[in-house]
């Protein structure tokens, strides 16, 4: 079983819709959870990170972590065409530099 | 700061040739990471350095791959000899304190095609 599972299937939504992305993981030592956004032919850039369980909100973006279920989510409200990108989840134990990435979800927001 | 700078952006080479990828991290960042991204395997960490010293190279696929960081502002990833299965996008990233809770800043990547 891969450490981090993320369904890579493309997701197309109309502008203004809520986008829901998620990852599951198997390593209970993971404590830092991150979402990276990657535009086409660019490097990933950090979008949000959370430590341990709970929710974190930043503008239109909300990240949720449920450590008991080993499940993390990213929600994008009022999606915009500029949100069209691949979203990768990443996680690591505290103080560990080996980030484990999901394969990424390609999101297309249709105007 | 211009961010993490990688060169070349694209590289096409023949099987068996030596390939050298280059990276200039953000000034002041103590950690440098080399990643490889493919459709099949996603983003994988190959090796990382702390203060120019290789710390963890367990992700380097085989002896054909080597990485060096001769100083704080330059690193190379070398593949010799290259094989078609090495075709991927290679990213360099740097971080001030490591990625255990802080951001890694990625370069634009080098798209390598081995024919």
């Amino acid at each position: 079983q891969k450490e981090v599972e993320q369904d890579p299937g493309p997701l197309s939504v109309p502008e203004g819709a809520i986008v829901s992305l998620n990852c599951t993981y198997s390593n209970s030592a993971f404590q830092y959870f991150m979402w990276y956004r990657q535009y086409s032919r660019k490097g990933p850039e950090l979008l949000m990170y959370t430590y341990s369980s709970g929710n974190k909100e930043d503008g239109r973006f909300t990240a949720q972590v449920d450590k008991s279920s080993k499940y993390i989510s990213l929600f994008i409200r009022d999606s915009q065409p500029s949100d069209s990108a691949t979203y990768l989840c990443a996680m690591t134990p505290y103080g560990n530099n080996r980030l484990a990435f999901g394969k990424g979800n390609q999101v297309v927001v249709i105007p | 700061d211009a961010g993490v700078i990688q060169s070349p952006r694209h590289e096409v080479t023949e099987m068996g040739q030596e390939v050298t990828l280059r990276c200039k991290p953000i000034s002041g960042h103590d950690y440098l990471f080399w990643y490889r991204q493919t459709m099949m395997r996603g983003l994988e960490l190959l090796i990382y350095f702390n203060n120019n010293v290789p710390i963890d190279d367990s992700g380097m696929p085989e002896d054909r791959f080597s990485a060096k960081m001769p100083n704080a502002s330059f690193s190379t990833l070398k593949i010799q000899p290259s094989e078609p299965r090495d075709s991927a996008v290679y990213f360099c990233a740097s971080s001030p304190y490591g990625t255990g809770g802080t951001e890694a800043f990625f370069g634009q990547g080098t798209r390598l095609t081995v024919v």
Side-chain angles (χ1 to χ4, degrees), chain B residues 16-85:
Chain B
Q17 296 299 304
E18 177 180 295
V19 176
T20 300
L21 312 181
R22 296 173 176 79
C23 174
K24 178 176 171 18
I26 293 172
S27 177
H29 283 192
D30 290 339
Y31 287 82
L32 183 138
F33 304 84
W34 282 100
Y35 286 88
R36 178 171 68 176
Q37 187 174 39
T38 62
M39 291 289 290
M40 288 293 294
R41 300 175 66 89
L43 201 58
E44 301 174 291
L45 178 66
L46 300 177
I47 184 171
Y48 80 89
F49 296 82
N50 180 19
N51 291 321
N52 314 337
V53 177
I55 302 300
D56 184 348
D57 65 354
S58 59
M60 297 285 261
E62 36 194 289
D63 291 346
R64 298 184 297 106
F65 286 70
S66 63
K68 293 182 180 179
M69 192 164 186
N71 57 62
S73 59
F74 184 66
S75 177
T76 60
L77 178 67
K78 185 177 293 185
I79 308 173
Q80 165 64 20
S82 58
E83 297 183 3
R85 60 193 167 117

Side-chain angles (χ1 to χ4, degrees), chain A residues 3 9 32 34 37 40 52 59 66 73-74 79 82 86 90 94 98 102 108:
Chain A
E3 272 194 313
Y32 277 103
M34 304 164 200
R37 178 175 61 194
S40 180
S52 195
D66 181 349
S73 302
L74 178 71
S79 57
S82 58
T86 296
Y94 176 75
R98 295 197 65 81
V108 177

Side-chain angles (χ1 to χ4, degrees), chain A residues 2 32 34 36 38 41-46 49 88 92-103, chain B residues 9-10 31 33 35 37 39-41 43 45 48 56 58 91 98-101 103-104 106-108 111:
Chain A
K2 206 164 162 24
Y32 277 103
M34 304 164 200
Y36 278 79
Q38 185 176 20
R41 299 194 177 266
K42 302 285 187 184
E45 56 179 349
L46 184 67
Y49 77 89
L88 304 107
T92 185
Y94 176 75
N96 186 305
N97 288 294
R98 295 197 65 81
L99 277 178
F101 280 88
K103 284 189 176 181
Chain B
R9 290 293 310 277
H10 303 273
Y31 287 82
F33 304 84
Y35 286 88
Q37 187 174 39
M39 291 289 290
M40 288 293 294
R41 300 175 66 89
L43 201 58
L45 178 66
Y48 80 89
D56 184 348
S58 59
F91 288 102
T99 53
E103 181 171 2
F106 284 78
Q108 302 262 46
R111 185 172 296 271

